[in-house]
Amino acid sequence: MTASHASGHVTPPLLAIDRASLDLPAPDGDRLEVLREVSLTVRAGEFVSIIGPSGCGKSTLLNIVSGLLDADTGTVSLNGDLSARRLGNVAYMQQRDLLMPWRDVLDNAALGLELAGVPRSASRARALDALPVFGLEGFGAAYPAQLSGGMRQRVALMRTTLPERDLLLLDEPFGALDAMTRGDLQRWLVGLFEGSGMGVLLVTHDVEEALILSDRVLVLSGRPGRNAGELEVNLPRPRHETDVTDESFIMLKRRLLDMLALDRAAA
C-alpha cells in the first residue's frame, strides 16, 4: 500500500529498481546476459524475498543494490534519490560469514562501525552492548574457529546491522545451516526486524523460508533473470516453521511453486 502524508505527499519506497538489466563477461570472452529489465520495490518496515532458479541473477541483483555493481540500463533509487550513494550506505550480508579468523567476536562485530568511521573504542563499546541482543553474551573474546555455524552467522549479522542502515540485504544467510539451527535463526531474525523500521531484501532458494519471513516474494525467471511473478504473503505474524502444515501456508507455497514451474515450462 502506498504510504502518504496528510498533505498528499507520496513517500517514495526505501528501494526502487526500475527495469535494471546487466550483462557480464562470459568465460569464452563473450557477454552473458544476467538480468533483463528487473523491477522491484522495498518500503521501510517491509521484508521482501527473492526466489528463482540457480544462476538467475539473484546475488547479482543484490550486488547492484549494494553498489558493488551498476546496471547497464535501468535505475536504482534510495528514498526516491536516483543519485544516492549506495556503496557503504546499504547493509549487505553475503552468503559466507567472512569473519576474520584473527579477530575475536567483539572485534569482528565492530568492524562495520570502524569502516563507517566510528573510532575503534566506541565501536567495541557498541558491539559489547549489543552482544546480548544477538545471543552472544559471554562470547566477546571467542574467535570464529570456536563458534558454531549459527553463532558465526549471528556475529556476521551483528557486524552488518550495527551501523544502522535503513536497508538490509541478505544473500542466503542460513543456506549452509542444519534445519534446526536455520529455524532458530529465522525466528531470531524476525524478532530483530519487527519494529526496527528497516527494509529487508532477502535472497533465498527456500520457498518455505521466503513465506515464513516475508511480506512479499518476488519470483525471478531462469537466466536472464526477469520478473516472473510476485506474491503477497497475507499470513498473520509471528510465523514459525510449524506453520508450514497450515492450509493457508500450503496454498501460498503451491502458488509460488506454480510460478516457478510456469517459468521452467516457458523456457
Side-chain angles (χ1 to χ4, degrees):
M1 183 177 294
T2 302
S4 61
H5 300 300
S7 63
H9 173 70
V10 176
T11 303
L14 185 59
L15 167 70
I17 302 175
D18 185 28
R19 293 173 293 180
S21 299
L22 180 67
D23 294 354
L24 291 175
D28 60 5
D30 203 350
R31 301 289 291 180
L32 183 67
E33 187 180 17
V34 180
L35 296 169
R36 182 188 297 171
E37 296 195 337
V38 174
S39 298
L40 66 86
T41 60
V42 180
R43 293 196 171 275
E46 186 178 35
F47 201 123
V48 178
S49 288
I50 302 172
I51 63 171
S54 296
C56 73
K58 299 185 295 294
S59 296
T60 300
L61 191 60
L62 290 194
N63 286 337
I64 290 174
V65 176
S66 70
L68 292 173
L69 291 173
D70 286 314
D72 294 327
T73 60
T75 61
V76 181
S77 64
L78 299 179
N79 292 308
D81 185 356
L82 291 171
S83 62
R85 175 181 169 85
R86 304 192 304 280
L87 191 62
N89 288 326
V90 174
Y92 187 12
M93 180 173 163
Q94 297 174 295
Q95 291 181 17
R96 296 172 56 212
D97 59 63
L98 300 176
L99 298 182
M100 296 180 175
W102 61 88
R103 281 189 168 226
D104 61 22
V105 165
L106 205 57
D107 279 336
N108 266 294
L111 182 60
L113 289 169
E114 290 179 46
L115 293 175
V118 179
R120 185 169 185 268
S121 58
S123 297
R124 285 176 56 86
R126 284 175 59 180
L128 181 63
D129 288 342
L131 287 177
V133 177
F134 287 81
L136 295 165
E137 189 170 17
F139 287 90
Y143 286 86
Q146 299 171 299
L147 304 178
S148 67
M151 293 180 74
R152 289 175 64 103
Q153 292 301 86
R154 288 176 190 247
V155 177
L157 194 55
M158 184 177 174
R159 176 190 61 201
T160 305
T161 56
L162 276 181
E164 297 182 337
R165 304 306 185 206
D166 292 334
L167 180 62
L168 173 63
L169 310 179
L170 300 172
D171 191 355
E172 300 199 35
F174 310 138
L177 303 177
D178 63 85
M180 184 176 297
T181 303
R182 187 164 60 246
D184 288 341
L185 286 181
Q186 286 170 354
R187 288 191 297 274
W188 173 76
L189 177 60
V190 168
L192 185 70
F193 160 74
E194 289 181 342
S196 69
M198 65 181 171
V200 180
L201 185 60
L202 167 76
V203 160
T204 179
H205 65 278
D206 189 328
V207 170
E208 290 186 356
E209 179 172 78
L211 292 173
I212 288 171
L213 295 175
S214 307
D215 298 302
R216 287 186 294 117
V217 182
L218 176 75
V219 180
L220 286 189
S221 70
R223 192 174 61 230
R226 306 174 306 282
N227 290 82
E230 184 174 302
L231 182 69
E232 183 176 350
V233 186
N234 53 356
L235 298 174
R237 292 186 183 275
R239 305 174 200 144
H240 305 288
E241 66 272 19
T242 54
D243 293 333
V244 300
T245 58
D246 180 81
E247 185 176 343
S248 298
F249 191 99
I250 292 171
M251 186 180 304
L252 289 175
K253 180 179 178 181
R254 187 176 297 123
R255 287 176 61 188
L256 273 181
L257 291 173
D258 286 346
M259 289 181 194
L260 290 165
L262 282 172
D263 174 66
R264 286 195 297 269

